[in-house]
Amino acid sequence: MSMRLIDEAPSSRRHPAKRASAEFDLSLSENPFPPLPSVLHAVNLELARSNRYPEFYPQRLPTLIARHLGVDPDQVVVGSGATGVALQIIQSLTTPGSELVVGSPTFDGYPIMADMAGLNLVPVPLDRTGEQDLRAMRRAIEKRTSLIVVCRPHNPTGTVIPAGELKTFLASVPSRVPVVLDEAYVEFLAEADRLDNAALLRRHPNLLILRTFSKAYGLAGMRIGYVYGGRELIGRVRRLQLPFGMSACATAAVAASYAAAPELRLRIHRITTARENLRNSLRSCGIDVPRSHANFLYLPGPGVATALRRAGISAKCYPDGSARVAVGDPTADLAVLSALATLR
């Protein structure tokens, strides 16, 4: 297994498919590094057989993921990234005119998908620490509530709900209301912050856990996501499985990624170390950056978004002048620090 990670060059600079005017595109919380060498090799081998269709309904990929998680294959549904799977969940578990409760701000895809499904979005403002306000989210539940989304870590602030608070919240949610626990950035969590998801699923049949291979695994362009949970809800979501919807390359990429666990851990450590270094430097400049548990930093406004734009840095920007930037590319991190060093 190759260990060329240290020599790899980050690829977040001058993203050709995005804003050509930006020197650094840090807007999508992408992994700055290309797929691991062993993953690229596995995908290239599969590409040679691209004249053949993949499985009509995916079986190998859910089985592979289920084995990794320690659950049964019929508890896993795969799809086109976590976003594609989230849309399957929404379409299968909600009805037009019902309500979707989310923390606000949140991942941009949830308002878009709610609109596509004819749902009424119920945005619950974050608390003063940038965390999802679970008490307020519980108060927002009413007869028309058909789905709740809780992100851990949260996008865009990177904050993490304590395990005890999440357990209390889940116990308070009516069993008729499904809860999606969005763990898109779970691989960046410290071991002490990880949840016992198996115990949560045994206790809460209305819980679904959503994950992706786009972030830590660096496979955003391959669109591989999945959800797992109890058989009843998962069975309903699986009814919208698209025939021929998952490529054989996706299965090869996941298998190779799991086999490259030591390299993945090294990469995650490299990204999280860069994140902490940049956060500490920004805080020393007077910018109150909240502690992040993902591969990005949330930079409170006002003025941050404008300063980044003027420096040629494309970020995810918010109405109050705040911004979120992906981390891990040393040159891009330095550019962010330079752009904001004199802001306060």
Side-chain angles (χ1 to χ4, degrees):
M1 184 181 300
S2 172
M3 293 299 288
R4 293 165 46 200
L5 183 60
I6 296 301
D7 297 324
E8 289 178 334
S11 56
S12 62
R13 295 188 289 279
R14 296 215 182 266
H15 199 308
K18 298 176 186 172
R19 303 174 187 175
S21 60
E23 183 175 1
F24 300 97
D25 192 330
L26 310 178
S27 62
L28 293 177
S29 65
E30 294 162 319
N31 192 314
F33 302 104
L36 293 167
S38 56
V39 176
L40 283 175
H41 177 70
V43 171
N44 286 331
L45 289 178
E46 199 59 54
L47 280 173
R49 296 186 282 270
S50 292
N51 58 308
R52 302 296 184 184
Y53 280 102
E55 295 174 305
F56 188 73
Y57 287 124
Q59 296 182 351
R60 291 178 56 212
L61 183 55
T63 299
L64 183 65
I65 293 171
R67 187 181 304 123
H68 183 78
L69 296 172
V71 301
D72 293 328
D74 62 357
Q75 293 180 261
V76 177
V77 170
V78 296
S80 180
T83 306
V85 178
L87 183 58
Q88 285 181 236
I89 294 169
I90 290 171
Q91 291 176 324
S92 59
L93 302 184
T94 69
T95 55
S98 62
E99 295 182 344
L100 170 62
V101 176
V102 297
S104 180
T106 187
F107 166 54
D108 287 348
Y110 287 119
I112 294 171
M113 290 183 285
D115 184 63
M116 291 171 63
L119 303 184
N120 296 314
L121 190 73
V122 180
V124 178
L126 306 182
D127 65 22
R128 288 180 297 177
T129 66
E131 187 52 86
Q132 295 152 107
D133 190 336
L134 294 186
R135 291 185 179 180
M137 292 177 75
R138 174 62 184 89
R139 291 193 299 269
I141 299 173
E142 57 175 42
K143 289 183 179 180
R144 292 184 299 171
T145 304
S146 60
L147 192 66
I148 303 170
V149 175
V150 176
C151 299
R152 190 178 189 272
H154 184 59
N155 178 6
T157 60
T159 53
V160 172
I161 298 169
E165 292 183 21
L166 180 64
K167 292 175 184 177
T168 299
F169 173 75
L170 291 174
S172 73
V173 174
S175 59
R176 66 171 182 83
V177 180
V179 178
V180 173
L181 180 61
D182 185 332
E183 290 192 331
Y185 302 92
V186 67
E187 290 85 5
F188 296 100
L189 282 177
E191 194 63 36
D193 293 317
R194 302 291 178 95
L195 297 171
D196 184 350
N197 285 345
L200 289 177
L201 289 173
R202 286 193 298 270
R203 194 170 296 117
H204 303 289
N206 60 329
L207 178 63
L208 293 170
I209 299 170
L210 181 65
R211 290 185 176 178
T212 182
F213 285 86
S214 296
K215 305 303 182 182
Y217 290 93
L219 299 174
M222 293 196 68
R223 312 310 302 132
I224 312 169
Y226 65 93
V227 63
Y228 70 107
R231 290 178 175 81
E232 193 275 327
L233 284 184
I234 289 295
R236 292 166 63 185
V237 176
R238 186 179 289 109
R239 285 201 292 267
L240 294 183
Q241 187 78 64
L242 181 67
F244 297 128
M246 297 301 296
S247 72
C249 288
T251 303
V254 170
S257 293
Y258 284 158
E263 291 175 275
L264 181 69
R265 286 193 294 270
L266 181 60
R267 170 169 289 179
I268 290 171
H269 176 73
R270 187 176 179 182
I271 292 171
T272 55
T273 299
R275 180 195 68 204
E276 292 308 298
N277 289 341
L278 179 57
R279 177 177 181 261
N280 291 336
S281 296
L282 289 169
R283 286 176 65 86
S284 70
C285 296
I287 300 174
D288 189 19
V289 183
R291 181 171 297 282
S292 173
H293 298 264
N295 67 332
F296 56 77
L297 288 175
Y298 181 77
L299 311 175
V304 169
T306 299
L308 292 173
R309 184 174 64 253
R310 288 174 176 169
I313 299 169
S314 178
K316 172 58 185 172
C317 300
Y318 299 90
D320 65 352
S322 300
R324 185 201 67 200
V325 293
V327 299
D329 177 340
T331 308
D333 291 348
L334 185 60
V336 170
L337 179 60
S338 177
L340 303 181
T342 60
L343 191 62
R344 295 290 186 264

